[in-house]
Amino acid sequence: MIKLRELEYLDAIVRYKHFGKAAEACHVSQPTLSGQLMKLEEQLGLQLIERHRRNVMLTPAGETLIKDARNVLKAAKTFEESARALLDPLAGDMHIGLIPTLAPYLLPLIVENLNSQLPRINFYLHENKTEVLLQELNSGKLDLLVLPWLDEMEKFERYDLFEEPLLLAVHPSHPLAECKQVNISVLEGQKILTLEDGHCLRDQAMDYCFTAGANEDHRFQATSLETLRHMVASNRGITLLPKLATLNVTATSNIRYIPFKEPQPVRNISLVIRPNYSRMDSIRAIATSIRNSVKQAV
């Protein structure tokens, strides 16, 4: 009979394409992982993996069966979650995914309350780009995501948490630096510093900028909001930053944050889960805690 552990080994090999890394991720020795995969192939009468000196790849049979293997692993995880929820709906491990343009600024506001209000839940936090987080949510590696809602997430379910305004960040020497508020139309003809591809904030901010008639500054693309902040402080350009990223930062005379007049550019932060996720009592409690923690900040 095929064991779940063997399917986990197969999944790890596909993800890491390396026996040593896959074994480390599964907390077993490389010979153990390799031997169990060979046993699985013998049981099925099929070769699933092509073994080469420098890399590992799936055979056509492996490509077909890995999808079923992942569905089985996902179903097993759902079964365990449902059983735990029956014992105590507000207990157990909870893996939360967040994006790099939100996690460093949101977590200080919410973690203390989450831990105090839900003490029997063990929170594990994972930071990555949106595409990776959605894949890991879909595969069952993550329980929920907290990130800006995008149209491409339609197959998931969401709980709206809060709207986060985007602020204009400029150097004190910029003509707009002394403005208390500005219309989005002031961006017409301006060049905007942006994040590199792969950050959903880049696309959201540039949608507003393009609509206002601004252009992207192609001389530089940042890997983080902190890099954007330093570029503005060095008088190398202007950008849009989410409000949470402008709170509790080290005071500096080299940057001004200017709110927009209504209608403000915003990003809608949501709690995202898989359809039919079983631990809904926990999800509702987490959503309520986050909303209350952020209410005063934005």
Side-chain angles (χ1 to χ4, degrees):
M1 180 178 293
I2 295 172
K3 299 177 181 178
L4 286 176
R5 195 63 174 150
E6 294 169 342
L7 300 184
E8 289 174 353
Y9 294 157
L10 178 63
D11 177 55
I13 280 291
V14 175
R15 284 189 287 120
Y16 293 98
K17 302 188 186 309
H18 187 278
F19 274 96
K21 293 178 180 178
E24 183 178 352
C26 293
H27 307 290
V28 296
S29 67
Q30 184 172 330
T32 296
L33 183 138
S34 180
Q36 289 298 309
L37 285 174
M38 291 180 65
K39 180 181 176 182
L40 176 62
E41 289 176 320
E42 291 173 2
Q43 286 180 283
L44 296 174
L46 295 167
Q47 183 181 352
L48 303 176
I49 299 167
E50 289 185 16
R51 297 162 173 83
H52 302 281
R53 175 176 291 182
R54 295 192 175 183
N55 68 338
V56 179
M57 64 182 66
L58 289 175
T59 64
E63 291 282 1
T64 299
L65 292 178
I66 186 59
K67 299 174 184 177
D68 292 332
R70 285 174 169 166
N71 286 336
V72 170
L73 292 172
K74 186 175 176 180
K77 181 176 175 62
T78 300
F79 181 84
E80 290 183 31
E81 290 170 350
S82 298
R84 284 197 298 267
L86 289 171
L87 290 170
D88 187 343
L90 298 180
D93 295 343
M94 183 70 68
H95 291 263
I96 302 177
L98 304 101
I99 56 174
T101 59
L102 180 62
Y105 316 106
L106 178 63
L107 290 176
L109 298 177
I110 67 173
V111 168
E112 183 176 351
N113 283 344
L114 284 173
N115 286 331
S116 63
Q117 294 167 9
L118 300 166
R120 298 190 305 282
I121 295 180
N122 301 312
F123 291 102
Y124 295 85
L125 306 173
H126 306 263
E127 183 180 282
N128 218 318
K129 291 184 179 180
T130 302
E131 182 181 2
V132 176
L133 293 178
L134 291 173
Q135 291 172 354
E136 294 185 342
L137 178 66
N138 190 54
S139 69
K141 293 181 178 66
L142 297 177
D143 296 289
L144 66 96
L145 309 180
V146 178
L147 75 180
W149 177 259
L150 302 173
D151 290 341
E152 65 199 58
M153 302 176 187
E154 288 179 350
K155 71 176 182 178
F156 299 102
E157 295 181 0
R158 84 186 199 194
Y159 284 73
D160 291 331
L161 298 175
F162 59 92
E163 283 190 346
E164 182 182 19
L166 303 181
L167 305 183
L168 179 63
V170 303
H171 189 269
S173 65
H174 193 276
L176 297 172
E178 299 306 317
C179 295
K180 300 300 182 184
Q181 284 186 312
V182 293
N183 287 311
I184 191 75
S185 59
V186 301
L187 297 181
E188 184 175 1
Q190 299 278 354
K191 287 190 175 181
I192 310 297
L193 293 169
T194 66
L195 293 166
E196 65 180 0
D197 288 335
H199 293 277
C200 60
L201 177 59
R202 166 195 165 83
D203 297 331
Q204 292 171 318
M206 290 315 300
D207 280 347
Y208 285 112
C209 293
F210 289 148
T211 300
N215 297 302
E216 180 179 357
D217 191 336
H218 293 287
R219 296 172 300 172
F220 178 79
Q221 288 188 342
T223 59
S224 71
L225 292 186
E226 294 312 304
T227 305
L228 279 182
R229 195 196 310 276
H230 289 304
M231 291 295 288
V232 174
S234 300
N235 200 20
R236 300 303 300 272
I238 66 174
T239 194
L240 269 62
L241 291 177
K243 184 175 180 178
L244 292 183
T246 70
L247 303 178
N248 302 317
V249 295
T250 303
T252 175
S253 59
N254 292 331
I255 192 165
R256 300 283 187 271
Y257 301 113
I258 308 170
F260 289 94
K261 296 178 181 178
E262 296 292 346
Q264 290 181 310
V266 299
R267 59 176 183 172
N268 297 304
I269 307 300
S270 299
L271 186 157
V272 180
I273 57 173
R274 295 182 295 279
N276 303 314
Y277 184 70
S278 60
R279 300 171 63 186
M280 292 309 300
D281 287 334
S282 293
I283 293 300
R284 284 187 283 268
I286 292 168
T288 298
S289 178
I290 293 175
R291 289 189 192 110
N292 291 337
S293 296
V294 177
K295 190 176 295 183
Q296 300 303 317
V298 297

mmCIF file of all heavy atoms in Angstrom, residues 161-202:
data_model
loop_
_atom_site.group_PDB
_atom_site.id
_atom_site.type_symbol
_atom_site.label_atom_id
_atom_site.label_comp_id
_atom_site.label_asym_id
_atom_site.label_seq_id
_atom_site.Cartn_x
_atom_site.Cartn_y
_atom_site.Cartn_z
ATOM 1 N N LEU A 161 -10.079 43.114 4.925
ATOM 2 C CA LEU A 161 -9.551 43.545 6.216
ATOM 3 C C LEU A 161 -9.525 45.068 6.357
ATOM 4 O O LEU A 161 -10.082 45.629 7.282
ATOM 5 C CB LEU A 161 -8.147 42.982 6.431
ATOM 6 C CG LEU A 161 -8.045 41.457 6.474
ATOM 7 C CD1 LEU A 161 -6.585 41.020 6.563
ATOM 8 C CD2 LEU A 161 -8.840 40.882 7.639
ATOM 9 N N PHE A 162 -8.863 45.739 5.415
ATOM 10 C CA PHE A 162 -8.801 47.203 5.473
ATOM 11 C C PHE A 162 -8.290 47.745 4.143
ATOM 12 O O PHE A 162 -7.692 47.030 3.344
ATOM 13 C CB PHE A 162 -7.892 47.683 6.617
ATOM 14 C CG PHE A 162 -6.464 47.200 6.527
ATOM 15 C CD1 PHE A 162 -5.489 47.949 5.887
ATOM 16 C CD2 PHE A 162 -6.095 45.984 7.103
ATOM 17 C CE1 PHE A 162 -4.172 47.507 5.807
ATOM 18 C CE2 PHE A 162 -4.776 45.537 7.035
ATOM 19 C CZ PHE A 162 -3.815 46.303 6.386
ATOM 20 N N GLU A 163 -8.572 49.028 3.921
ATOM 21 C CA GLU A 163 -8.020 49.746 2.772
ATOM 22 C C GLU A 163 -6.808 50.532 3.232
ATOM 23 O O GLU A 163 -6.875 51.266 4.215
ATOM 24 C CB GLU A 163 -9.050 50.709 2.169
ATOM 25 C CG GLU A 163 -10.095 50.041 1.317
ATOM 26 C CD GLU A 163 -10.940 51.061 0.562
ATOM 27 O OE1 GLU A 163 -10.871 52.270 0.910
ATOM 28 O OE2 GLU A 163 -11.657 50.669 -0.363
ATOM 29 N N GLU A 164 -5.699 50.388 2.508
ATOM 30 C CA GLU A 164 -4.475 51.104 2.859
ATOM 31 C C GLU A 164 -4.184 52.170 1.804
ATOM 32 O O GLU A 164 -3.931 51.847 0.643
ATOM 33 C CB GLU A 164 -3.293 50.131 2.950
ATOM 34 C CG GLU A 164 -2.011 50.817 3.368
ATOM 35 C CD GLU A 164 -0.824 49.868 3.403
ATOM 36 O OE1 GLU A 164 -0.903 48.787 2.772
ATOM 37 O OE2 GLU A 164 0.181 50.215 4.054
ATOM 38 N N PRO A 165 -4.210 53.448 2.180
ATOM 39 C CA PRO A 165 -3.910 54.506 1.207
ATOM 40 C C PRO A 165 -2.457 54.441 0.743
ATOM 41 O O PRO A 165 -1.564 54.013 1.478
ATOM 42 C CB PRO A 165 -4.165 55.796 1.994
ATOM 43 C CG PRO A 165 -4.979 55.387 3.183
ATOM 44 C CD PRO A 165 -4.571 53.974 3.492
ATOM 45 N N LEU A 166 -2.221 54.893 -0.482
ATOM 46 C CA LEU A 166 -0.867 55.090 -0.988
ATOM 47 C C LEU A 166 -0.538 56.573 -0.884
ATOM 48 O O LEU A 166 -1.366 57.429 -1.221
ATOM 49 C CB LEU A 166 -0.755 54.626 -2.442
ATOM 50 C CG LEU A 166 -1.131 53.169 -2.725
ATOM 51 C CD1 LEU A 166 -0.949 52.852 -4.209
ATOM 52 C CD2 LEU A 166 -0.315 52.218 -1.880
ATOM 53 N N LEU A 167 0.662 56.886 -0.398
ATOM 54 C CA LEU A 167 1.092 58.271 -0.223
ATOM 55 C C LEU A 167 2.179 58.615 -1.239
ATOM 56 O O LEU A 167 2.946 57.743 -1.671
ATOM 57 C CB LEU A 167 1.643 58.493 1.181
ATOM 58 C CG LEU A 167 0.740 58.106 2.360
ATOM 59 C CD1 LEU A 167 1.421 58.475 3.672
ATOM 60 C CD2 LEU A 167 -0.626 58.763 2.260
ATOM 61 N N LEU A 168 2.238 59.870 -1.613
ATOM 62 C CA LEU A 168 3.294 60.351 -2.491
ATOM 63 C C LEU A 168 4.525 60.652 -1.656
ATOM 64 O O LEU A 168 4.447 61.384 -0.663
ATOM 65 C CB LEU A 168 2.830 61.605 -3.228
ATOM 66 C CG LEU A 168 3.844 62.251 -4.183
ATOM 67 C CD1 LEU A 168 4.199 61.297 -5.319
ATOM 68 C CD2 LEU A 168 3.309 63.572 -4.723
ATOM 69 N N ALA A 169 5.659 60.083 -2.006
ATOM 70 C CA ALA A 169 6.923 60.308 -1.292
ATOM 71 C C ALA A 169 7.850 61.128 -2.175
ATOM 72 O O ALA A 169 8.164 60.726 -3.302
ATOM 73 C CB ALA A 169 7.575 58.973 -0.934
ATOM 74 N N VAL A 170 8.287 62.294 -1.663
ATOM 75 C CA VAL A 170 9.142 63.189 -2.439
ATOM 76 C C VAL A 170 10.264 63.725 -1.555
ATOM 77 O O VAL A 170 10.176 63.730 -0.326
ATOM 78 C CB VAL A 170 8.339 64.379 -3.019
ATOM 79 C CG1 VAL A 170 7.189 63.895 -3.888
ATOM 80 C CG2 VAL A 170 7.820 65.296 -1.907
ATOM 81 N N HIS A 171 11.317 64.198 -2.198
ATOM 82 C CA HIS A 171 12.417 64.878 -1.500
ATOM 83 C C HIS A 171 11.968 66.292 -1.122
ATOM 84 O O HIS A 171 11.124 66.886 -1.812
ATOM 85 C CB HIS A 171 13.648 64.930 -2.415
ATOM 86 C CG HIS A 171 14.876 65.409 -1.750
ATOM 87 N ND1 HIS A 171 15.242 66.749 -1.732
ATOM 88 C CD2 HIS A 171 15.838 64.746 -1.049
ATOM 89 C CE1 HIS A 171 16.377 66.878 -1.070
ATOM 90 N NE2 HIS A 171 16.771 65.688 -0.649
ATOM 91 N N PRO A 172 12.481 66.857 -0.019
ATOM 92 C CA PRO A 172 12.076 68.209 0.390
ATOM 93 C C PRO A 172 12.294 69.286 -0.659
ATOM 94 O O PRO A 172 11.636 70.330 -0.622
ATOM 95 C CB PRO A 172 12.946 68.474 1.623
ATOM 96 C CG PRO A 172 13.240 67.124 2.165
ATOM 97 C CD PRO A 172 13.369 66.219 0.972
ATOM 98 N N SER A 173 13.190 69.056 -1.609
ATOM 99 C CA SER A 173 13.441 70.058 -2.649
ATOM 100 C C SER A 173 12.452 69.975 -3.802
ATOM 101 O O SER A 173 12.447 70.830 -4.684
ATOM 102 C CB SER A 173 14.868 69.893 -3.198
ATOM 103 O OG SER A 173 15.011 68.633 -3.855
ATOM 104 N N HIS A 174 11.599 68.958 -3.796
ATOM 105 C CA HIS A 174 10.637 68.788 -4.887
ATOM 106 C C HIS A 174 9.572 69.872 -4.804
ATOM 107 O O HIS A 174 9.172 70.286 -3.709
ATOM 108 C CB HIS A 174 9.997 67.396 -4.802
ATOM 109 C CG HIS A 174 9.246 67.012 -6.032
ATOM 110 N ND1 HIS A 174 7.941 67.385 -6.267
ATOM 111 C CD2 HIS A 174 9.623 66.273 -7.117
ATOM 112 C CE1 HIS A 174 7.541 66.898 -7.418
ATOM 113 N NE2 HIS A 174 8.549 66.222 -7.962
ATOM 114 N N PRO A 175 9.065 70.362 -5.944
ATOM 115 C CA PRO A 175 8.047 71.419 -5.942
ATOM 116 C C PRO A 175 6.781 71.075 -5.156
ATOM 117 O O PRO A 175 6.081 71.971 -4.688
ATOM 118 C CB PRO A 175 7.726 71.599 -7.430
ATOM 119 C CG PRO A 175 8.966 71.150 -8.146
ATOM 120 C CD PRO A 175 9.534 70.050 -7.313
ATOM 121 N N LEU A 176 6.484 69.774 -4.968
ATOM 122 C CA LEU A 176 5.272 69.375 -4.247
ATOM 123 C C LEU A 176 5.514 69.157 -2.750
ATOM 124 O O LEU A 176 4.572 68.853 -2.014
ATOM 125 C CB LEU A 176 4.713 68.087 -4.850
ATOM 126 C CG LEU A 176 4.243 68.153 -6.312
ATOM 127 C CD1 LEU A 176 3.895 66.753 -6.810
ATOM 128 C CD2 LEU A 176 3.057 69.094 -6.464
ATOM 129 N N ALA A 177 6.732 69.335 -2.300
ATOM 130 C CA ALA A 177 7.107 68.920 -0.943
ATOM 131 C C ALA A 177 6.315 69.623 0.150
ATOM 132 O O ALA A 177 6.088 69.043 1.219
ATOM 133 C CB ALA A 177 8.601 69.130 -0.728
ATOM 134 N N GLU A 178 5.886 70.851 -0.068
ATOM 135 C CA GLU A 178 5.194 71.595 0.976
ATOM 136 C C GLU A 178 3.681 71.445 0.919
ATOM 137 O O GLU A 178 2.970 72.046 1.735
ATOM 138 C CB GLU A 178 5.582 73.078 0.886
ATOM 139 C CG GLU A 178 7.066 73.348 1.083
ATOM 140 C CD GLU A 178 7.604 72.759 2.373
ATOM 141 O OE1 GLU A 178 6.909 72.879 3.424
ATOM 142 O OE2 GLU A 178 8.702 72.167 2.344
ATOM 143 N N CYS A 179 3.186 70.647 0.003
ATOM 144 C CA CYS A 179 1.738 70.449 -0.113
ATOM 145 C C CYS A 179 1.225 69.587 1.036
ATOM 146 O O CYS A 179 1.863 68.604 1.420
ATOM 147 C CB CYS A 179 1.394 69.789 -1.441
ATOM 148 S SG CYS A 179 1.758 70.792 -2.895
ATOM 149 N N LYS A 180 0.077 69.948 1.590
ATOM 150 C CA LYS A 180 -0.555 69.146 2.633
ATOM 151 C C LYS A 180 -1.287 67.953 2.036
ATOM 152 O O LYS A 180 -1.329 66.869 2.623
ATOM 153 C CB LYS A 180 -1.539 70.001 3.435
ATOM 154 C CG LYS A 180 -0.905 71.187 4.131
ATOM 155 C CD LYS A 180 0.162 70.748 5.124
ATOM 156 C CE LYS A 180 0.759 71.944 5.850
ATOM 157 N NZ LYS A 180 1.867 71.551 6.755
ATOM 158 N N GLN A 181 -1.900 68.157 0.867
ATOM 159 C CA GLN A 181 -2.571 67.115 0.096
ATOM 160 C C GLN A 181 -2.408 67.446 -1.378
ATOM 161 O O GLN A 181 -2.193 68.609 -1.736
ATOM 162 C CB GLN A 181 -4.069 67.046 0.432
ATOM 163 C CG GLN A 181 -4.416 66.395 1.748
ATOM 164 C CD GLN A 181 -5.925 66.256 1.899
ATOM 165 O OE1 GLN A 181 -6.672 67.212 1.678
ATOM 166 N NE2 GLN A 181 -6.374 65.074 2.264
ATOM 167 N N VAL A 182 -2.508 66.412 -2.206
ATOM 168 C CA VAL A 182 -2.425 66.640 -3.649
ATOM 169 C C VAL A 182 -3.479 65.801 -4.363
ATOM 170 O O VAL A 182 -3.937 64.775 -3.841
ATOM 171 C CB VAL A 182 -1.035 66.275 -4.214
ATOM 172 C CG1 VAL A 182 0.027 67.221 -3.705
ATOM 173 C CG2 VAL A 182 -0.682 64.821 -3.888
ATOM 174 N N ASN A 183 -3.882 66.259 -5.541
ATOM 175 C CA ASN A 183 -4.721 65.455 -6.417
ATOM 176 C C ASN A 183 -3.839 64.472 -7.169
ATOM 177 O O ASN A 183 -2.670 64.767 -7.466
ATOM 178 C CB ASN A 183 -5.475 66.340 -7.415
ATOM 179 C CG ASN A 183 -6.598 67.116 -6.757
ATOM 180 O OD1 ASN A 183 -7.409 66.549 -6.034
ATOM 181 N ND2 ASN A 183 -6.636 68.422 -7.005
ATOM 182 N N ILE A 184 -4.385 63.321 -7.515
ATOM 183 C CA ILE A 184 -3.627 62.331 -8.273
ATOM 184 C C ILE A 184 -3.167 62.896 -9.610
ATOM 185 O O ILE A 184 -2.153 62.483 -10.169
ATOM 186 C CB ILE A 184 -4.475 61.040 -8.471
ATOM 187 C CG1 ILE A 184 -3.623 59.892 -9.032
ATOM 188 C CG2 ILE A 184 -5.663 61.325 -9.374
ATOM 189 C CD1 ILE A 184 -2.711 59.274 -8.037
ATOM 190 N N SER A 185 -3.861 63.933 -10.089
ATOM 191 C CA SER A 185 -3.539 64.525 -11.387
ATOM 192 C C SER A 185 -2.176 65.208 -11.395
ATOM 193 O O SER A 185 -1.614 65.463 -12.464
ATOM 194 C CB SER A 185 -4.622 65.526 -11.797
ATOM 195 O OG SER A 185 -4.747 66.555 -10.836
ATOM 196 N N VAL A 186 -1.610 65.523 -10.194
ATOM 197 C CA VAL A 186 -0.297 66.184 -10.169
ATOM 198 C C VAL A 186 0.800 65.256 -10.684
ATOM 199 O O VAL A 186 1.916 65.707 -10.967
ATOM 200 C CB VAL A 186 0.080 66.677 -8.750
ATOM 201 C CG1 VAL A 186 -0.950 67.652 -8.230
ATOM 202 C CG2 VAL A 186 0.286 65.500 -7.792
ATOM 203 N N LEU A 187 0.488 63.987 -10.818
ATOM 204 C CA LEU A 187 1.493 63.037 -11.303
ATOM 205 C C LEU A 187 1.656 63.090 -12.818
ATOM 206 O O LEU A 187 2.585 62.475 -13.357
ATOM 207 C CB LEU A 187 1.106 61.611 -10.892
ATOM 208 C CG LEU A 187 1.061 61.331 -9.385
ATOM 209 C CD1 LEU A 187 0.686 59.881 -9.134
ATOM 210 C CD2 LEU A 187 2.381 61.668 -8.713
ATOM 211 N N GLU A 188 0.780 63.803 -13.491
ATOM 212 C CA GLU A 188 0.871 63.868 -14.952
ATOM 213 C C GLU A 188 2.242 64.397 -15.372
ATOM 214 O O GLU A 188 2.706 65.434 -14.899
ATOM 215 C CB GLU A 188 -0.212 64.774 -15.523
ATOM 216 C CG GLU A 188 -0.219 64.808 -17.051
ATOM 217 C CD GLU A 188 -1.373 65.625 -17.603
ATOM 218 O OE1 GLU A 188 -2.160 66.179 -16.815
ATOM 219 O OE2 GLU A 188 -1.480 65.708 -18.849
ATOM 220 N N GLY A 189 2.903 63.622 -16.240
ATOM 221 C CA GLY A 189 4.212 63.996 -16.739
ATOM 222 C C GLY A 189 5.373 63.648 -15.826
ATOM 223 O O GLY A 189 6.539 63.805 -16.208
ATOM 224 N N GLN A 190 5.082 63.177 -14.609
ATOM 225 C CA GLN A 190 6.136 62.815 -13.668
ATOM 226 C C GLN A 190 6.687 61.422 -13.980
ATOM 227 O O GLN A 190 5.991 60.570 -14.533
ATOM 228 C CB GLN A 190 5.595 62.817 -12.236
ATOM 229 C CG GLN A 190 5.075 64.150 -11.761
ATOM 230 C CD GLN A 190 6.182 65.069 -11.284
ATOM 231 O OE1 GLN A 190 7.355 64.686 -11.201
ATOM 232 N NE2 GLN A 190 5.819 66.300 -10.955
ATOM 233 N N LYS A 191 7.940 61.189 -13.600
ATOM 234 C CA LYS A 191 8.538 59.856 -13.690
ATOM 235 C C LYS A 191 8.549 59.255 -12.285
ATOM 236 O O LYS A 191 9.012 59.900 -11.340
ATOM 237 C CB LYS A 191 9.948 59.914 -14.267
ATOM 238 C CG LYS A 191 9.972 60.209 -15.762
ATOM 239 C CD LYS A 191 11.361 60.024 -16.329
ATOM 240 C CE LYS A 191 11.346 60.190 -17.852
ATOM 241 N NZ LYS A 191 12.699 59.981 -18.445
ATOM 242 N N ILE A 192 8.061 58.016 -12.164
ATOM 243 C CA ILE A 192 7.853 57.388 -10.865
ATOM 244 C C ILE A 192 8.836 56.229 -10.665
ATOM 245 O O ILE A 192 8.948 55.340 -11.515
ATOM 246 C CB ILE A 192 6.416 56.858 -10.732
ATOM 247 C CG1 ILE A 192 5.404 57.943 -11.109
ATOM 248 C CG2 ILE A 192 6.168 56.325 -9.324
ATOM 249 C CD1 ILE A 192 5.414 59.152 -10.215
ATOM 250 N N LEU A 193 9.539 56.240 -9.542
ATOM 251 C CA LEU A 193 10.376 55.099 -9.179
ATOM 252 C C LEU A 193 9.479 53.922 -8.791
ATOM 253 O O LEU A 193 8.460 54.105 -8.118
ATOM 254 C CB LEU A 193 11.271 55.457 -7.985
ATOM 255 C CG LEU A 193 12.344 56.520 -8.230
ATOM 256 C CD1 LEU A 193 12.961 56.950 -6.913
ATOM 257 C CD2 LEU A 193 13.418 55.979 -9.173
ATOM 258 N N THR A 194 9.859 52.706 -9.179
ATOM 259 C CA THR A 194 9.008 51.535 -8.957
ATOM 260 C C THR A 194 9.808 50.368 -8.392
ATOM 261 O O THR A 194 11.040 50.356 -8.404
ATOM 262 C CB THR A 194 8.351 51.077 -10.269
ATOM 263 O OG1 THR A 194 9.382 50.599 -11.167
ATOM 264 C CG2 THR A 194 7.585 52.202 -10.931
ATOM 265 N N LEU A 195 9.053 49.380 -7.926
ATOM 266 C CA LEU A 195 9.632 48.096 -7.558
ATOM 267 C C LEU A 195 9.879 47.263 -8.810
ATOM 268 O O LEU A 195 9.301 47.524 -9.874
ATOM 269 C CB LEU A 195 8.682 47.338 -6.626
ATOM 270 C CG LEU A 195 8.467 47.946 -5.238
ATOM 271 C CD1 LEU A 195 7.259 47.309 -4.569
ATOM 272 C CD2 LEU A 195 9.712 47.755 -4.369
ATOM 273 N N GLU A 196 10.691 46.227 -8.673
ATOM 274 C CA GLU A 196 10.936 45.324 -9.786
ATOM 275 C C GLU A 196 9.722 44.456 -10.049
ATOM 276 O O GLU A 196 8.801 44.374 -9.230
ATOM 277 C CB GLU A 196 12.153 44.436 -9.490
ATOM 278 C CG GLU A 196 11.934 43.484 -8.324
ATOM 279 C CD GLU A 196 13.146 42.612 -8.028
ATOM 280 O OE1 GLU A 196 14.163 42.742 -8.730
ATOM 281 O OE2 GLU A 196 13.059 41.795 -7.097
ATOM 282 N N ASP A 197 9.697 43.792 -11.203
ATOM 283 C CA ASP A 197 8.594 42.890 -11.547
ATOM 284 C C ASP A 197 8.448 41.808 -10.489
ATOM 285 O O ASP A 197 9.426 41.346 -9.901
ATOM 286 C CB ASP A 197 8.856 42.230 -12.908
ATOM 287 C CG ASP A 197 8.699 43.206 -14.066
ATOM 288 O OD1 ASP A 197 7.962 44.187 -13.899
ATOM 289 O OD2 ASP A 197 9.320 42.985 -15.120
ATOM 290 N N GLY A 198 7.194 41.371 -10.279
ATOM 291 C CA GLY A 198 6.917 40.305 -9.317
ATOM 292 C C GLY A 198 6.266 40.807 -8.055
ATOM 293 O O GLY A 198 5.711 40.019 -7.292
ATOM 294 N N HIS A 199 6.330 42.125 -7.806
ATOM 295 C CA HIS A 199 5.668 42.715 -6.644
ATOM 296 C C HIS A 199 4.311 43.256 -7.077
ATOM 297 O O HIS A 199 4.233 44.083 -7.989
ATOM 298 C CB HIS A 199 6.503 43.853 -6.056
ATOM 299 C CG HIS A 199 7.795 43.419 -5.438
ATOM 300 N ND1 HIS A 199 7.869 42.929 -4.148
ATOM 301 C CD2 HIS A 199 9.057 43.393 -5.925
ATOM 302 C CE1 HIS A 199 9.131 42.627 -3.870
ATOM 303 N NE2 HIS A 199 9.868 42.896 -4.926
ATOM 304 N N CYS A 200 3.247 42.791 -6.429
ATOM 305 C CA CYS A 200 1.918 43.236 -6.834
ATOM 306 C C CYS A 200 1.734 44.728 -6.591
ATOM 307 O O CYS A 200 0.982 45.395 -7.301
ATOM 308 C CB CYS A 200 0.831 42.439 -6.127
ATOM 309 S SG CYS A 200 0.844 42.548 -4.327
ATOM 310 N N LEU A 201 2.443 45.296 -5.599
ATOM 311 C CA LEU A 201 2.333 46.729 -5.341
ATOM 312 C C LEU A 201 2.816 47.532 -6.539
ATOM 313 O O LEU A 201 2.278 48.607 -6.827
ATOM 314 C CB LEU A 201 3.140 47.113 -4.096
ATOM 315 C CG LEU A 201 3.168 48.604 -3.755
ATOM 316 C CD1 LEU A 201 1.761 49.144 -3.526
ATOM 317 C CD2 LEU A 201 4.044 48.860 -2.544
ATOM 318 N N ARG A 202 3.812 47.022 -7.237
ATOM 319 C CA ARG A 202 4.311 47.716 -8.431
ATOM 320 C C ARG A 202 3.174 47.923 -9.431
ATOM 321 O O ARG A 202 2.952 49.034 -9.929
ATOM 322 C CB ARG A 202 5.431 46.903 -9.066
ATOM 323 C CG ARG A 202 5.786 47.335 -10.479
ATOM 324 C CD ARG A 202 6.638 46.295 -11.199
ATOM 325 N NE ARG A 202 6.665 46.544 -12.637
ATOM 326 C CZ ARG A 202 7.474 47.405 -13.214
ATOM 327 N NH1 ARG A 202 8.316 48.115 -12.506
ATOM 328 N NH2 ARG A 202 7.441 47.579 -14.518
#
